[in-house]
Amino acid sequence: MAPEDQPSKMTLSAVAQEVGVSVPTVSKVVNGRADVAQGTRMRVLEALQRTGYKTPLQRKGKPVQRTVEAVFDSLNSAYNMEILNGVMEQANVSGMEVVLSVTGLQAPPSLGPEERAQRMIDEGRSGMIVVTSAFGATQLEAFQRRQIPIVVIDPLNPPPSNLFSVGASNWAGGKAAAMHLLELGHRRIAFIGGPDTAECSQARLHGYMAALMAEGITVEHEYVSAGKFRPENGAAAFKALLALEDPPTAIFAGSDSIALGVLAEARRQDVRIPEEMSLVGFDGTYQAEESIPPLTSVSQPLQEIGRSALNFILRQMQGEEIDSRRVELATHLVVRESTAPPRATALR
């Protein structure tokens, strides 16, 4: 028997003997059962990978499926739905199937990083697209060790530097938003951002700061806040800004969703936008067009981002040599009715 033929014929018994555990213990690990000590589980997983053990399903020669898993933190945002539309459109053109996972709706994971990665292989997944989801480095590295193609879009925590990623020109977009407000004559401009750890939000903040500093304007600490990319963050931050001795005359919100929260709270507080407060969002979703007033927003090519992410997966699957691990698509400012020059009657 040739050495290269041996791994596919490895049995649970042989793996158990190598690790020094029982066959039922190895079986539990293979099937993703949680009732195995973590140290034992890791030793078994390492042995399975080292020996090239294949499950009965794999040994039957099941045809390889062209299936990608798309992982979202939620699907209740226009941003995520636009991304998903792009992924689905490209999947249809490329003959791929898409399986959705929504982390915000799931109970705490019963499988550890190694088991989840192995389960992807067993279920025939070709790759994974992670969108605004807090996948840790340990989880992502487990996928990489098994050579599972992964692409991240706007991660909520910094991904490993060698991971493929797709996004927009967040810094340039943040600068364009602030420059628009500056050109209208605003000088007291606040920023309501997403999570501190979200690289996209940090880039938008730094673009905003660069525009203000270029005009010799000091970025006031009380004008900058962070939170979730959710309307309730915009509402809470807006109330805090109104309570300041010198409230801003304009707000740059780090997402359209945050901006919608600002709009809702402004109506509750009887603050007129843009007469008393100008507002710019970021994303350029359909919600920006349909809000009252229609929202000035930095538009991202969200569907193109989704399409590009799936293309990255396909290129990795085909073993293509890819020079750049980061694709950054251009943003542009769409001016609507939520911004205007500051007036003498603006809030003070």
Side-chain angles (χ1 to χ4, degrees), residues 57 60-66 124:
L57 184 63
K60 286 179 182 177
K62 182 182 178 183
V64 176
Q65 298 179 16
R66 288 166 60 86

PDB file of all heavy atoms in Angstrom, residues 57 60-66 124:
ATOM      1  N   LEU A  57     -18.920   9.840   5.228  1.00  0.00           N
ATOM      2  CA  LEU A  57     -19.534  10.633   4.165  1.00  0.00           C
ATOM      3  C   LEU A  57     -18.492  11.082   3.151  1.00  0.00           C
ATOM      4  O   LEU A  57     -18.702  11.020   1.938  1.00  0.00           O
ATOM      5  CB  LEU A  57     -20.228  11.861   4.771  1.00  0.00           C
ATOM      6  CG  LEU A  57     -21.006  12.754   3.802  1.00  0.00           C
ATOM      7  CD1 LEU A  57     -22.146  11.969   3.176  1.00  0.00           C
ATOM      8  CD2 LEU A  57     -21.519  13.984   4.530  1.00  0.00           C
ATOM      9  N   LYS A  60     -17.258   8.213   0.863  1.00  0.00           N
ATOM     10  CA  LYS A  60     -18.194   7.793  -0.180  1.00  0.00           C
ATOM     11  C   LYS A  60     -18.002   8.589  -1.467  1.00  0.00           C
ATOM     12  O   LYS A  60     -18.658   8.340  -2.462  1.00  0.00           O
ATOM     13  CB  LYS A  60     -19.639   7.982   0.303  1.00  0.00           C
ATOM     14  CG  LYS A  60     -20.063   6.946   1.335  1.00  0.00           C
ATOM     15  CD  LYS A  60     -21.496   7.205   1.792  1.00  0.00           C
ATOM     16  CE  LYS A  60     -21.918   6.199   2.856  1.00  0.00           C
ATOM     17  NZ  LYS A  60     -23.291   6.491   3.366  1.00  0.00           N
ATOM     18  N   GLY A  61     -17.123   9.575  -1.410  1.00  0.00           N
ATOM     19  CA  GLY A  61     -16.859  10.352  -2.613  1.00  0.00           C
ATOM     20  C   GLY A  61     -17.975  11.308  -2.948  1.00  0.00           C
ATOM     21  O   GLY A  61     -18.315  11.496  -4.108  1.00  0.00           O
ATOM     22  N   LYS A  62     -18.581  11.901  -1.906  1.00  0.00           N
ATOM     23  CA  LYS A  62     -19.658  12.861  -2.144  1.00  0.00           C
ATOM     24  C   LYS A  62     -19.154  14.001  -3.025  1.00  0.00           C
ATOM     25  O   LYS A  62     -18.083  14.559  -2.784  1.00  0.00           O
ATOM     26  CB  LYS A  62     -20.135  13.433  -0.800  1.00  0.00           C
ATOM     27  CG  LYS A  62     -21.286  14.416  -0.938  1.00  0.00           C
ATOM     28  CD  LYS A  62     -21.658  14.959   0.421  1.00  0.00           C
ATOM     29  CE  LYS A  62     -22.778  15.979   0.313  1.00  0.00           C
ATOM     30  NZ  LYS A  62     -23.123  16.572   1.609  1.00  0.00           N
ATOM     31  N   PRO A  63     -19.874  14.367  -4.078  1.00  0.00           N
ATOM     32  CA  PRO A  63     -19.421  15.441  -4.970  1.00  0.00           C
ATOM     33  C   PRO A  63     -19.191  16.737  -4.195  1.00  0.00           C
ATOM     34  O   PRO A  63     -19.948  17.056  -3.278  1.00  0.00           O
ATOM     35  CB  PRO A  63     -20.592  15.603  -5.955  1.00  0.00           C
ATOM     36  CG  PRO A  63     -21.337  14.301  -5.894  1.00  0.00           C
ATOM     37  CD  PRO A  63     -21.165  13.812  -4.496  1.00  0.00           C
ATOM     38  N   VAL A  64     -18.132  17.432  -4.586  1.00  0.00           N
ATOM     39  CA  VAL A  64     -17.827  18.693  -3.928  1.00  0.00           C
ATOM     40  C   VAL A  64     -18.906  19.728  -4.289  1.00  0.00           C
ATOM     41  O   VAL A  64     -19.190  19.953  -5.458  1.00  0.00           O
ATOM     42  CB  VAL A  64     -16.434  19.205  -4.363  1.00  0.00           C
ATOM     43  CG1 VAL A  64     -16.171  20.572  -3.752  1.00  0.00           C
ATOM     44  CG2 VAL A  64     -15.357  18.211  -3.965  1.00  0.00           C
ATOM     45  N   GLN A  65     -19.492  20.349  -3.276  1.00  0.00           N
ATOM     46  CA  GLN A  65     -20.513  21.351  -3.513  1.00  0.00           C
ATOM     47  C   GLN A  65     -19.873  22.732  -3.590  1.00  0.00           C
ATOM     48  O   GLN A  65     -18.953  23.033  -2.851  1.00  0.00           O
ATOM     49  CB  GLN A  65     -21.541  21.342  -2.384  1.00  0.00           C
ATOM     50  CG  GLN A  65     -22.295  20.044  -2.256  1.00  0.00           C
ATOM     51  CD  GLN A  65     -23.282  20.098  -1.102  1.00  0.00           C
ATOM     52  OE1 GLN A  65     -23.610  21.166  -0.607  1.00  0.00           O
ATOM     53  NE2 GLN A  65     -23.746  18.953  -0.685  1.00  0.00           N
ATOM     54  N   ARG A  66     -20.372  23.528  -4.504  1.00  0.00           N
ATOM     55  CA  ARG A  66     -19.907  24.915  -4.594  1.00  0.00           C
ATOM     56  C   ARG A  66     -20.836  25.744  -3.716  1.00  0.00           C
ATOM     57  O   ARG A  66     -21.767  26.378  -4.187  1.00  0.00           O
ATOM     58  CB  ARG A  66     -19.927  25.375  -6.051  1.00  0.00           C
ATOM     59  CG  ARG A  66     -18.833  24.727  -6.897  1.00  0.00           C
ATOM     60  CD  ARG A  66     -19.086  24.926  -8.377  1.00  0.00           C
ATOM     61  NE  ARG A  66     -19.140  26.325  -8.749  1.00  0.00           N
ATOM     62  CZ  ARG A  66     -18.082  27.076  -9.053  1.00  0.00           C
ATOM     63  NH1 ARG A  66     -16.872  26.553  -8.993  1.00  0.00           N
ATOM     64  NH2 ARG A  66     -18.215  28.338  -9.413  1.00  0.00           N
ATOM     65  N   GLY A 124     -19.250  20.243   3.310  1.00  0.00           N
ATOM     66  CA  GLY A 124     -19.016  20.582   1.911  1.00  0.00           C
ATOM     67  C   GLY A 124     -19.002  22.059   1.593  1.00  0.00           C
ATOM     68  O   GLY A 124     -19.228  22.451   0.450  1.00  0.00           O
TER      69      GLY A 124
END
